[in-house]
Amino acid sequence: MNDRKTAVVTGASSGLGRAMARKFRSEGFYVVAVSRKAPEDGVCDLHIPADLTEENSLAAAAAEILKLERVDVFINNAGIGAYAKWDELKEQELRRLMELDFFAPVLLTTKVLPLLRKSKACVVNISSAAGLLPVACMGAYSAAKAALRMFSDTLKTEERDIHVVTVFPGRISTGFGSRACGCREVPNTPSHGSETPEELAKRVYKACMKKKRSLIYPWWYKIVIGIMLRMPGIYEKGSRKVWKI
Ligand SMILES: NC(=O)c1ccc[n+]([C@@H]2O[C@H](COP(=O)([O-])OP(=O)(O)OC[C@H]3O[C@@H](n4cnc5c(N)ncnc54)[C@H](OP(=O)(O)O)[C@@H]3O)[C@@H](O)[C@H]2O)c1
């Protein structure tokens, strides 16, 4: 019997997921990590090995989660990027990206919903700034993260007993780009660089505790995205230049 508050984090073996797992653990949560590789020592209390792009592996992970007494926070974080124009992206890459970035969070969440309802859980979906603003040469990623946002926002309305937070991170250094698929190099755009996984983790924790609906990090992305959406012609021209299209 575990009467500690419990947080489940997918993709806690690196980057943002690892930082969020550490933050919730430091706040006294029993942390369950779901990923292919085992997280390093101190990140979680329990590791459920799973490849969330595989139907059977995802179902087995859901079955393990349903054995827990409670889930207070459920973070859909595991994800992958893709840098390619639509006609450059291989079908297999597109399917893998949609499996991990969209189908996996939807299927895993819905499979464990009875426990989330019973626990009055807070579900956190890690979308992306690219889910708010169309990013050329990351079109598939933008589409998957926009779809995840819609999942998140509609789940919020459908489920009275759970709280849902949608998170839109901007660029944060984690090595995410080097693990992405697609044939293009990440362009050498100026990096602001002061954002960290640890700071995002603190804000996600606060957003759960304060029952916020959404979180954009860093905050000024809200302004940049607003401007870009109002000036589509200039934004498209700039994007073509950056991506050498
Ligand atoms: N970093 C950024 O700038 C940024 C910006 C906006 C949004 N995001 C989003 O934030 C989330 C985390 O990104 P990150 O930067 O922390 O990336 P990351 O360091 O590459 O971490 C990705 C995590 O996903 C897990 N994962 C990958 N494939 C998996 C699979 N098939 N099954 C289960 N788990 C899998 C990885 O674990 P294993 O390899 O052990 O399976 C890893 O723990 C992603 O959803 C990403 O789209 C990131």
Side-chain angles (χ1 to χ4, degrees), residues 9-20 34-39 47-54 57 76-81 83 96 99-101 104 125-131 138 141 145 148 167-180 197 200 217 221:
V9 186
T10 71
S13 61
S14 68
L16 307 185
R18 177 170 55 199
M20 289 187 283
V34 182
S35 53
R36 292 169 304 178
K37 295 189 288 288
H47 174 231
I48 300 176
D51 183 337
L52 295 173
T53 63
E54 299 287 336
S57 186
N76 284 308
N77 162 78
I80 190 171
Y83 298 97
R96 186 167 153 238
E99 279 300 338
L100 186 61
D101 292 6
N125 292 309
I126 306 294
S127 175
S128 167
M138 289 186 81
Y141 180 72
K145 291 296 188 178
L148 182 63
V167 181
F168 303 97
R171 205 190 310 171
I172 305 169
S173 175
T174 60
F176 173 77
S178 65
R179 288 183 277 278
L200 176 92
Y217 173 76
Y221 261 64

Side-chain angles (χ1 to χ4, degrees), residues 4 10 27 41 43 51 64 73 143 164 171 191 224 239 245:
R4 268 164 80 192
T10 71
E27 296 290 343
D41 288 350
V43 171
D51 183 337
E64 286 303 309
V73 175
V164 183
R171 205 190 310 171
S191 156
V224 174
S239 295
I245 301 168

Side-chain angles (χ1 to χ4, degrees), residues 4 33-34 39 56 70 86 180 189 201 232 234:
R4 268 164 80 192
V34 182
N56 292 341
R70 57 192 284 181
W86 283 104
T189 46
I234 293 174

Side-chain angles (χ1 to χ4, degrees), residues 9 28 38 44 61 124 126 165 185 188 197 221:
V9 186
C44 66
V124 179
I126 306 294
V165 186
E185 291 287 310
N188 198 13
Y221 261 64

Side-chain angles (χ1 to χ4, degrees), residues 110-122:
T110 48
K111 281 183 196 301
V112 301
L113 257 182
L115 179 59
L116 299 179
R117 288 186 190 125
K118 192 181 100 185
S119 313
K120 299 204 179 310
C122 175

